[in-house]
Amino acid sequence: MCGRYASARDKHQLLEEFQVEQDADPEKELGADYNVAPTKNVYAVLSRVPKDAERAVRQLRVVKWGLVPAWAKDPSVGSRMINARAETLAEKPSYRKAFAKRRCLLPADGYYEWMPVEGDKKKQPYFIHPSDGGVLAMAGLYEFWKDPNRADDDPLKWLVTCTVITTDAEDELGRIHDRMPMMIERERWGEWLDPKVTDTEQAQRLLVPAQPGRLTAHPVGTDVNNVRNNGPGLVEPLPEEGESALF
């Protein structure tokens, strides 16, 4: 699963990196977050066709991590839907409609996973990130949930949420954890985001696991275990002394 990640690029960087045409939440700007956890607000890149427009417009939007299906009675279900398995997206009622129409990219600098330590009950956290230092575009889905208890003109009437799509980890990363976020490579961004691509078989073909060597990992301190801890120090490698190189 992917239950924690880092997203430190500012809004201006993301608007440029993802060639965004519209800032959908101009009044909202998230600070650098090195310990993004479920239920936090995060940036998502998505494409939507504005009213009376002929084509989709690429947007950057602030959404809540933890997908709440449109039919959910209570938004608290989102805390249990932070990840969606790539293998069953087209089958699960919670995800299949979003997979067909509401796909997004979730920008990250990298993500964390915890590896069991032999002979110890504690787990060693690792920070996993693109080896070239570039952005990690995690495949995601998003949904709109309408709060029946709020007036139509209430700005909080609509809740926008997301989930991270996961897949089997490639061999080296699989030594840390057997699952990893699904990446979407730059050349597939446009097709993945296109809301006119509603054929789930076509969308499924865009989900190609990262090539070996595309990502790298290093052990980090256990401060990341506590969601209240934050800052760039969380992604700093542990001193090599006493640590065997994993890659």
Side-chain angles (χ1 to χ4, degrees):
M1 67 176 293
C2 173
R4 209 78 63 80
Y5 67 94
S7 181
R9 286 171 168 80
D10 62 33
K11 177 182 277 191
H12 179 71
Q13 289 176 296
L14 296 177
L15 291 171
E16 288 192 351
E17 180 76 31
F18 288 89
Q19 299 179 316
V20 173
E21 300 171 84
Q22 179 187 21
D23 182 352
D25 291 301
E27 74 288 353
K28 297 179 182 178
E29 183 154 4
L30 305 177
D33 195 340
Y34 293 87
N35 206 351
V36 180
T39 74
K40 278 189 174 184
N41 285 335
V42 299
Y43 285 126
V45 178
L46 50 97
S47 291
R48 294 184 63 79
V49 180
K51 189 177 181 180
D52 301 324
E54 295 183 357
R55 68 174 185 88
V57 173
R58 189 174 296 186
Q59 305 177 353
L60 183 70
R61 186 182 285 263
V62 175
V63 303
K64 188 175 181 179
W65 186 14
L67 190 131
V68 179
W71 44 261
K73 294 182 179 180
D74 188 332
S76 65
V77 301
S79 63
R80 303 193 300 274
M81 297 187 186
I82 64 168
N83 289 162
R85 295 177 67 91
E87 300 87 343
T88 55
L89 288 173
E91 305 166 13
K92 296 286 186 180
S94 299
Y95 307 121
R96 62 190 178 199
K97 285 188 177 180
F99 184 43
K101 297 180 179 181
R102 289 177 290 279
R103 298 177 298 274
C104 65
L105 297 172
L106 301 169
D109 297 297
Y111 65 99
Y112 301 95
E113 287 295 1
W114 282 257
M115 185 171 75
V117 178
E118 188 174 352
D120 197 331
K121 293 182 179 179
K122 296 180 180 179
K123 294 184 177 181
Q124 172 61 53
Y126 281 80
F127 184 60
I128 303 169
H129 57 96
S131 9
D132 62 3
V135 69
L136 176 63
M138 301 188 295
L141 307 176
Y142 70 96
E143 270 288 11
F144 290 91
W145 182 80
K146 188 177 182 180
D147 190 338
N149 299 315
R150 293 183 182 274
D152 288 342
D153 59 354
D154 189 330
L156 299 179
K157 179 73 173 179
W158 290 93
L159 175 66
V160 191
T161 60
C162 70
T163 188
V164 176
I165 297 173
T166 66
T167 186
D168 286 335
E170 52 109 332
D171 290 348
E172 291 296 336
L173 298 179
R175 294 173 60 186
I176 299 174
H177 194 278
D178 62 351
R179 302 291 292 179
M180 64 182 291
M182 177 68 75
M183 296 172 57
I184 301 293
E185 297 293 352
R186 189 179 297 270
E187 62 271 17
R188 298 191 183 97
W189 287 359
E191 192 174 1
W192 173 253
L193 296 175
D194 189 349
K196 293 182 180 179
V197 176
T198 58
D199 181 348
T200 54
E201 289 188 9
Q202 182 179 351
Q204 193 80 46
R205 288 195 292 270
L206 299 173
L207 294 174
V208 179
Q211 292 296 314
R214 178 73 172 80
L215 300 176
T216 188
H218 59 254
V220 295
T222 54
D223 283 351
V224 70
N225 296 355
N226 189 328
V227 296
R228 290 175 293 184
N229 295 328
N230 216 312
L234 296 184
V235 302
E236 290 297 318
L238 285 179
E240 290 188 11
E241 183 179 353
E243 287 289 339
S244 57
L246 184 62
F247 302 108

